[in-house]
Amino acid sequence: MARFMDVHSGFVGVTEDQLREAHERDLAIQDTEGVSFERAWLDPESGKVFCLSTGPSKESVMRIHEQAGHPTGEVYEVSVDIT
Amino acid sequence: MARFMDVHSGFVGVTEDQLREAHERDLAIQDTEGVSFERAWLDPESGKVFCLSTGPSKESVMRIHEQAGHPTGEVYEVSVDIT
């Protein structure tokens, strides 16, 4: 499994509840691709969303987001993760 | 305090040790601005780095990164954070 950070744009003015709803649509189907979404961050002013996940491939993350109705092409395999 | 995600580009081919060194330069001076860098992720293929931090303002995060030698203008206040 690899770790991914993906970036969405266009979530300007989106509320926490709306983001949670979108996130839950991912969680509901993520198992079909062996993906696990860990955390999501939103800046409602710029509309940027960052999603951290693990999964077998970038494409599997992209397919889940697409099926959940919020596709993105910006998925990065973050092989280095430091605290 | 607010939470921020910032994005750097240009870290193509950077190793974990090199990222840790850059991250430690932030940690060494972060207190001067009341910033706390929590975690950083790197995709050495695309060169993207994502840094999660808390602090008083975007500008304080930018100043620390600048003084540490890796400035970025892409700093987002992620007021929504869900798991």
Side-chain angles (χ1 to χ4, degrees):
Chain A
M1 295 294 252
R3 173 158 281 127
F4 301 94
M5 183 75 82
D6 65 72
V7 186
H8 302 256
S9 300
F11 282 68
V12 176
V14 166
T15 65
E16 174 157 353
D17 286 347
Q18 289 167 326
L19 182 69
R20 204 174 287 285
E21 236 176 75
H23 186 62
E24 264 147 33
R25 288 203 300 276
D26 290 321
L27 302 186
I29 58 171
Q30 66 182 6
D31 293 349
T32 63
E33 294 274 0
V35 171
S36 172
F37 285 97
E38 297 176 16
R39 201 164 160 189
W41 298 269
L42 160 68
D43 170 9
E45 255 181 57
S46 67
K48 287 276 187 188
V49 171
F50 301 89
C51 301
L52 185 67
S53 64
T54 53
S57 67
K58 276 186 199 182
E59 292 71 21
S60 59
V61 173
M62 283 186 199
R63 280 193 295 269
I64 292 296
H65 271 336
E66 191 163 0
Q67 287 158 33
H70 37 258
T72 182
E74 260 199 280
V75 182
Y76 302 97
E77 181 171 341
V78 284
S79 52
V80 178
D81 176 353
I82 59 171
T83 53
Chain B
M1 295 293 252
R3 173 155 281 128
F4 301 94
M5 183 74 82
D6 65 72
V7 185
H8 302 255
S9 300
F11 282 68
V12 176
V14 165
T15 65
E16 175 156 353
D17 286 346
Q18 289 167 325
L19 182 69
R20 203 175 288 285
E21 237 175 73
H23 186 61
E24 265 148 31
R25 289 202 302 274
D26 289 322
L27 301 186
I29 58 171
Q30 65 181 6
D31 294 348
T32 62
E33 293 274 0
V35 171
S36 173
F37 284 97
E38 297 175 16
R39 201 165 161 189
W41 297 269
L42 160 68
D43 170 7
E45 256 182 55
S46 67
K48 287 277 186 187
V49 171
F50 300 90
C51 301
L52 186 66
S53 64
T54 53
S57 65
K58 275 186 198 180
E59 292 70 22
S60 59
V61 173
M62 283 185 197
R63 280 193 295 268
I64 293 298
H65 270 336
E66 189 161 5
Q67 287 158 33
H70 36 259
T72 183
E74 259 200 281
V75 181
Y76 302 97
E77 181 172 342
V78 283
S79 52
V80 178
D81 177 354
I82 60 171
T83 52

